[in-house]
């Protein structure tokens, strides 16, 4: 069906901009069919080649996809409109957001002052004492710390690296199911996601090898607290993956340790295995607060030069005021104690829900982190069924590429006393319609 949105423009660039504007404003919803090339060319009074060029540009940036005889349609997750979660209905217990418990975040913000003078900080973008604190943070986990850098969060750093290292159309190996914002970021950069299946130990070596043979130029993965499945590398899995990656030394390996200090399992990092191109990323959002848009990374020398070179041309540096605040919190004894308590608490809450689900015969995943993944057949049926019991969980569609359906339950604020009720309600929903459960 042709769209009712009035596409305009007399050049390929203007036509593409018109379509992108319609997608961003919601007038062209995901799955909406665009007019055939010749028809739109006739309507706009331009050559078919002009329209074809516009459509090619839109495909390259992930805004539209071509489905053979189905024509050109708006992509399921268009690059200009990330897959945002639906608004939580009033009166429901929100277990979909994936955010940390506010009660387990520090309230202490140490006093900071602006760096002296009005000069540029481009020559010294990082505070030396915070660099050393980062090295002290990473070194015990086996991450090489010769080269470190900072960014405004993991997505900022990963997006910058992929845009420097890759070109539109290049392929990136992505966890499936995986973190939806990363999946959307890859699309927004005009890159192709190649799904790599995960299990309770993280990336599966056989799936990773297939992706490497398919020509991916980067791999993005989580060594623990994998979102949404919760997998974490075992020593054996880490070694197997390192061996597979050794077959493709030019591939950039991005290790996103997003939960780090509140992950209740040890880190088994790929970066200790002698990789040629690698970066290990850590943020503080999960344990110091989402407003601290700061991340640290250790990497090889080439990756450092390319990241910092692009950073120099954009924001230049991460605010020294922000760096002072992060340093103060990292060194504060009360904050350290709170982070330790948070790590134990999240582990207890996740374990409690897994235990209650298992007691009712429900298969679930959650080896680490703040989330539990439950395989189902019909995500909508389960989400709506739990809604009737007062719970709001996340449908798995926005986390998946080619993997089987499921729902994600965030346990950060789910007290163990509530886990039994949630599990009972979950079992009741599945009992009301057995076809909704795929296990």
């Amino acid at each position: 069906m042709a769209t009712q949105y009035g596409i305009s423009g007399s050049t390929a660039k203007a036509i593409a901009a018109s379509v992108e504007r319609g997608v961003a404003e919601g007038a062209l919803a995901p799955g909406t069919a665009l007019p055939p090339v010749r028809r739109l060319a006739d309507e706009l009074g331009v050559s078919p080649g002009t329209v074809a060029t516009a459509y090619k540009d839109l495909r390259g940036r992930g805004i539209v996809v071509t489905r053979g005889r189905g024509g050109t349609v708006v992509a399921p997750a268009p690059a200009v409109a990330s897959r945002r979660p639906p608004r939580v209905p009033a009166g429901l217990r929100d277990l979909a957001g994936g955010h940390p418990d506010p009660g387990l975040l520090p309230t202490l913000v140490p006093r900071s002052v602006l760096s002296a003078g009005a000069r540029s900080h481009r020559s010294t973008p990082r505070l030396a004492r915070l660099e050393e604190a980062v090295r002290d943070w990473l070194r015990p986990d086996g991450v090489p710390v010769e080269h470190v850098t900072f960014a405004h969060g993991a997505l900022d750093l990963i997006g910058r690296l992929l845009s420097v290292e890759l070109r539109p159309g290049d392929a990136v190996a992505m966890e499936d199911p995986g973190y939806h914002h990363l999946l959307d970021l890859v699309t927004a950069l005009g890159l192709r996601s190649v799904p790599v299946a995960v299990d309770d130990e993280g990336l599966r070596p056989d799936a990773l090898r297939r992706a490497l043979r398919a020509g991916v130029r980067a791999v993005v993965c989580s060594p623990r607290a994998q979102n949404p499945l919760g997998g974490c590398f075992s020593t054996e899995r880490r070694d197997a993956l390192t061996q597979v990656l050794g077959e493709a030394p030019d591939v950039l390996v991005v290790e996103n340790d997003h939960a780090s200090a509140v992950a209740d399992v040890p880190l088994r990092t790929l970066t200790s295995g002698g990789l040629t191109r690698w970066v290990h990323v850590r943020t503080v959002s999960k344990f110091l607060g989402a407003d601290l848009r700061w991340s640290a990374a250790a990497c090889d020398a080439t990756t450092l030069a390319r990241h910092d070179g692009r950073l120099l041309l954009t924001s230049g540096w991460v605010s020294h005021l922000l760096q002072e605040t992060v340093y103060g919190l990292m060194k504060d004894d009360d904050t350290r104690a709170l982070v330790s308590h948070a790590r134990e608490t999240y582990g207890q809450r996740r374990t409690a829900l897994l235990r209650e689900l298992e007691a009712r015969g429900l298969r679930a995943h959650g080896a680490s982190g703040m989330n539990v993944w439950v395989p189902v057949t019909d995500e909508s049926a389960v989400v709506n069924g739990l809604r009737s019991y007062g719970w709001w969980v996340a449908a798995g569609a926005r986390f998946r590429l080619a993997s089987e359906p499921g729902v994600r339950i965030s346990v950060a604020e789910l007290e163990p006393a509530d886990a039994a009720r949630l599990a009972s309600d979950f079992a009741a929903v599945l009992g009301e319609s057995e076809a909704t459960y795929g296990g």
Side-chain angles (χ1 to χ4, degrees), residues 222-236:
S222 300
R224 52 183 172 179
Q226 194 273 343
N227 188 358
L229 200 76
C232 56
F233 291 164
S234 64
T235 301
E236 294 75 16

Side-chain angles (χ1 to χ4, degrees), residues 182-231:
L182 275 173
L183 296 176
D184 292 339
L185 175 62
V186 168
T187 300
L189 293 173
L191 306 173
R192 294 184 294 113
S193 290
V194 175
V196 178
V198 297
D199 58 24
D200 291 334
E201 294 183 70
L203 289 175
R204 287 174 45 183
D206 56 337
L208 177 60
R209 179 174 280 110
R210 285 194 294 271
L212 292 173
R213 289 175 176 173
V216 300
R217 297 204 42 215
V219 176
V220 181
C221 63
S222 300
R224 52 183 172 179
Q226 194 273 343
N227 188 358
L229 200 76

Side-chain angles (χ1 to χ4, degrees), residues 241-256:
L241 292 172
T242 301
Q243 182 177 1
V244 171
L245 290 167
E247 301 170 7
D250 294 332
V251 170
L252 174 66
V253 178
V254 180
E255 190 173 71
N256 181 22

Side-chain angles (χ1 to χ4, degrees), residues 110-113 115 121-122 124-134 148-152 284 288 292-296 311 316-331:
R111 293 186 59 187
S112 301
V113 295
S115 299
H121 298 324
R122 292 179 189 272
T124 54
R126 295 183 293 275
L127 296 180
R129 57 183 174 278
L130 184 54
E131 278 194 0
E132 288 308 307
V134 166
V148 299
T149 190
F150 304 156
H152 293 97
V284 296
L288 295 185
L292 290 177
R293 306 307 300 166
W294 176 86
S295 65
L311 179 67
W317 66 88
V318 175
S319 160
H320 280 200
L321 183 61
L322 175 60
Q323 292 186 49
E324 291 279 12
T325 300
V326 171
Y327 178 80
L329 288 168
M330 291 179 71
K331 292 298 184 179

